[in-house]
Amino acid sequence: MTRAAVSNWRKRHADFPAPVGGGTRNALFALSEVHAWLDRQRKSNDVSGEVLLWQALRRAYRDDMTRGLADLADLFVTGSTEPLDDEIVSRATGLAAESSPSEVVARLTARLIGSAAPEHVTGPRLIRAVKHFAGQAHGVVFDPACGIGSLLLALGDGCGVAGQELDPAAARLAESRARLAGRGEVTIRTGDSLRQDGWPELRSALVVCDPPVNVPDWGREDLLLDARWELGVPTRAEGELAWLQHCYAHVAPGGRAILVMPPSVAYRKAGRRIRAELVRRGILTQLIALPPGMVASHNQPVHLWLLARPASPDDAVSRVRMVDLTANDPDGPLEPTADQVVDVPLIELLDETVDLTPAHHVAASRTDHLGEYASMREDVAHRLHELLTLLPPLTSGPGTLDGAAVKVADLARAGLVDIADGEAVSASDQLDTDYLHGFLHAAANVRRSTSGSFRTDVRGARVPRMSIEDQRSYGAAFRALDAFEQQVKELAELADRAVSMARDGLTGGSIRPQ
């Protein structure tokens, strides 16, 4: 039995055995309990009528199971047996007599989705999320990249459905599934939605779309003057923003659109101007970052973009709701908690990058700008005072120390120094380590390598001879300089954070000048 089969049985049957281990995404089951359940369900050895029909379709259609299911669905919709063989027809009609044609196609489609899911299949987790955030649908629901129709079926309950799909077999299966489910007006057209829009006059109350991503050529050169690009012509690398504008072009006044997008669309430099127009015109109403694991084909997170076409200028939104659910379980609740959502004024989004990543804005909204800035300011003042005490007082020296220098290699041979991994450490109470390190970093002991970088030649380095008391005096000065240098670096980092915090607070409205 396959993982997909177990997953399907678990979803469809409340009496399926409970997991005995693993987590939400990789549950483990007792084999004896599953076999016993299969016996009770007459599914033992995975040879139910449904499985036998699936296997017959596999033999006939091999990897083209979408076409196989489309032909099978046509059998139930039109009565045509072409091009199905007699075994498939016999098994399919027998199963339909036991339940219904709609149930047979639904169960086989679930197998298709649970197996190596093709690109034109939207999985159940993502469908659940889209349905949750799309809300109640009215009128006609339109999907211009409908695949096998999963989103349309989920959101178009009680509505007319219209769609377009590039793959003819997927388009046929989508239309048949909708008809078998008893939907009213159903029309799925075949073709490339961007290059050959099959619905140029359609304006829908709700447009849903899980478009193809990372398409290197979506037809930009042929579509430069297309009227759909009212927010700007997308670059070749921004095919997802072409789909977004195509969907928006089909939204009726007062209508909505909800699209599945890769996270990179929210921040890529090439799409900045189009994102800015979306925000500036009040079209983007909400952006939701979903948890990883929502998509059947990969484990990367995705975003949902919610758009609205204002019925009048007064209907345009003044804020965008940002929702960050990336830390949630993909099978858990979809309603965000208070600390996962923030309503961001449009002006705050229209900066140089127009980064619409929800996590960025949700995290910023949780920041106490005034408290953190005040704390940083006190820290800066404290560190500035410390710097004055760390920089050691020095006095006039002899002018040169080269005459009494000794090589570190000679000190190592005498057992006064240990050298390991390019570092030298005193091995005697006759030599101060801080004094040694200080002189090792002198300009005279730093050599330029053939690659152009600078490094200390430890063994060839020279340090001056002097008494242990003088060494300790020099060592103390070197330690103070090291501490001063480190403090300056930390102060610079703190200063950068303080300036950034102040600017964010001032421009965001959470703080103001005294």
Side-chain angles (χ1 to χ4, degrees), residues 15-33:
D15 63 340
F16 191 80
V20 296
T24 303
R25 304 182 196 178
N26 57 349
L28 300 176
F29 301 86
L31 184 60
S32 59
E33 293 181 8

Side-chain angles (χ1 to χ4, degrees), residues 394-405 435 439 464-467 470 473-474 478:
L394 303 174
T395 188
S396 178
T400 180
L401 297 174
D402 292 341
Y435 155 83
F439 279 101
R465 299 176 187 271
M466 61 179 65
S467 68
D470 288 339
S473 295
Y474 274 86
F478 287 134

Side-chain angles (χ1 to χ4, degrees), residues 294-363:
M294 300 296 288
V295 180
S297 59
H298 60 77
N299 198 43
Q300 301 303 310
V302 293
H303 290 174
L304 298 182
W305 292 50
L306 276 65
L307 316 178
R309 184 179 289 278
S312 69
D314 295 335
D315 293 335
V317 299
S318 60
R319 294 172 178 265
V320 176
R321 171 155 291 189
M322 295 289 180
V323 180
D324 180 18
L325 302 177
T326 52
N328 289 19
D329 188 307
D331 294 313
L334 290 167
E335 197 61 36
T337 58
D339 62 345
Q340 292 178 318
V341 59
V342 61
D343 294 326
V344 185
L346 303 188
I347 190 63
E348 291 186 19
L349 299 172
L350 295 172
D351 56 13
E352 293 182 356
T353 60
V354 196
D355 187 342
L356 303 181
T357 305
H360 171 71
H361 298 282
V362 171

